[in-house]
Each structure stands twice: as C-alpha cells, then as structure tokens.
Amino acid sequence: MIDFSGRSAIVTGGARGIGAAVAAALVREKIGVVIADLLEHEGAAVAESLGPEAMFRRLDVTDESGWQRVIADAEAQFGPLAVLVNNAGIVDFGSVETESPALFRHVVDVDLYGGWLGMHLSAPRLRAAGGGVIVNVSSIAGLAGYAGIAGYVAAKWGLRGLTKAAAVELGAAGIRVCSVHPGPIHTPMTAGMSEAVAAAQPLPRFGEPEEVAAMVRFIVTEATFSTGSEFVLDGGATAGQWLALPEAS
C-alpha cells in the first residue's frame, strides 16, 4: 500500500457527486486535496466539510492558466503533487445527425480535452516528485456505444484511449494511469434518469458515489502493479446480454 500523506491531489468536478466522494476518500488517506470545479458555493462547502486537508479552487478544465494556478496552489498548500483525478464532465443529448456542432465540441472539450490538459500539465510535476497516479473517470459509454449521447460517447472512448497512451509513456517515471468506468450512479447528472435503467443488470440498482470513490482509492493506494487498466463499476451491465432463462426443472 502506497502512503501519499504529505503530498497533494487534485480532483476535478469535485463539488458534488463522484468527485466529492473521491475527495473525501483521499482526505481519509491523509492526502491534501484540491477540489477543483466551476461550482463555487458547492465546492467550498465540500472543502469546509472535509477540514484543513481540503481546499476549493475554481477551475474551468479547458483553461490552461487555470490549471497552472490550481497545480501551484495544491503544491504550495499540501506538498508535491501525487494524484490527479480527472472527473469533471458534462453530458450531451443528441444523435450523430441531430447534435449541433457547437454542443459536440463543447462536450469533447470538457470531457476529453480537459482531461488531457490536466495530464499534460500535471505529468511533469508527478515526474519531479518521483511518481504518482492519474485516474481518469470515463464511463461505460467509453466501453460501448449508446444512442442519443454522441459527443459524450466519443469523449469517453477518447479518454479511455488517452489513459492507455499515457500509461505507456509515463510508466518508466513511476506514474500509473488508469481509467474508471461507472455505469448508472446516483449523482446530479443522473437525477432525471429512471431507476428502470438498471433493472436488467445482474445487480439491478444504481451505484453510489462512495462505491466509485472506493475504487479510486484502491487504484491510488493499493493497485500498485496496475497501469493502463480499466476498472468497471456497472452492476454487470456490460458483462453480456442478460436474458430471462427458464428455471431448471
């Protein structure tokens, strides 16, 4: 188990949902966490609830100078950077035919380019500190195609591929890079989704943010021989085609 106490972490999209749960899990590991988000009120409240080992910084993940400030603040407050969790994301609603070019580009900018920019700027700091971990929060939409969210699917597949490229490039520097692929999770993003979405899964329920956070904590502190790997939390949704078979007589 790796001890990153005395070092810092950045969690994007950390003001609520999965990001807030991840921030709490890392603070429990004695890692100083910067909660980076556009939601200032919510982010500041999460940081306050977690105590002196957390702070909030406003961040647009597509803004290079914003990233530079957040990284500098993390290291100044909590020590050398150890962990980056690229969790910030938005979802679109539109098919390949109907989605506007502007919306497609915006989703890809936030969900893919924002993750790349964080990795691009954090990797030198992780290298200088002797290693660390990057966790990219993709989705089961990065493992399969889904209708009606074309930009989101494209971005999450891209983030999955970017994870593997970075793992190959950065492994020799002691930097591990993995992706996490949640299925339906109870978050503000899924608040309007029917629970029936999960009814056909082997585990017929939505997951909880804390379950994703537990996986991220495992990747950061215990999965020390894993890089370029995909960690799936989807109640079995992507395990196969689930049919109701007759009971054996």
Side-chain angles (χ1 to χ4, degrees):
M1 184 169 178
I2 294 180
D3 181 8
F4 281 139
S5 59
R7 293 181 62 182
S8 61
I10 297 169
V11 180
T12 68
R16 60 186 188 178
I18 291 171
V22 168
L26 296 180
V27 165
R28 288 194 292 271
E29 296 297 324
K30 309 302 181 184
I31 303 170
V33 177
V34 175
I35 296 162
D37 207 307
L38 288 173
L39 301 175
E40 297 185 34
H41 177 73
E42 294 93 328
V46 171
E48 183 177 3
S49 73
L50 295 178
E53 291 304 306
M55 69 179 183
F56 171 76
R57 289 293 182 269
R58 188 180 189 278
L59 175 65
D60 173 350
V61 294
T62 68
D63 177 19
E64 182 174 356
S65 62
W67 268 109
Q68 290 169 335
R69 287 192 296 272
V70 167
I71 293 168
D73 287 351
E75 296 200 317
Q77 183 71 21
F78 299 123
L81 189 64
V83 179
L84 169 64
V85 181
N86 279 315
N87 170 69
I90 58 175
V91 67
D92 62 330
F93 294 97
S95 70
V96 171
E97 291 181 284
T98 64
E99 185 175 24
S100 71
L103 178 57
F104 181 88
R105 292 194 63 169
H106 180 52
V107 171
V108 171
D109 279 349
V110 173
D111 293 6
L112 178 56
Y113 174 68
W116 173 83
L117 189 56
M119 296 170 69
H120 173 69
L121 296 172
S122 296
R125 304 309 308 156
L126 296 172
R127 186 186 295 273
V133 185
I134 298 170
V135 180
N136 292 322
V137 181
S138 179
S139 165
I140 57 172
L143 300 172
Y146 291 87
I149 49 172
Y152 184 76
V153 170
K156 293 302 187 178
W157 274 80
L159 191 59
R160 174 189 174 196
L162 181 61
T163 297
K164 295 185 183 301
V168 173
E169 293 176 359
L170 301 175
I175 302 169
R176 295 186 294 108
V177 191
C178 294
S179 58
V180 172
H181 298 262
I185 306 293
H186 281 133
T187 69
M189 184 181 287
T190 63
M193 292 175 61
S194 168
E195 297 287 325
V197 169
Q201 296 173 181
L203 303 180
R205 64 174 178 85
F206 276 41
E208 300 298 332
E210 291 75 17
E211 292 176 295
V212 183
M215 180 64 81
V216 174
R217 186 209 63 79
F218 170 76
I219 295 168
V220 169
T221 64
E222 298 189 50
T224 55
F225 197 51
S226 184
T227 194
S229 304
E230 301 159 1
F231 293 82
V232 182
L233 304 94
D234 68 350
T238 58
Q241 296 295 319
W242 294 94
L243 304 176
L245 299 178
E247 295 183 4
S249 57

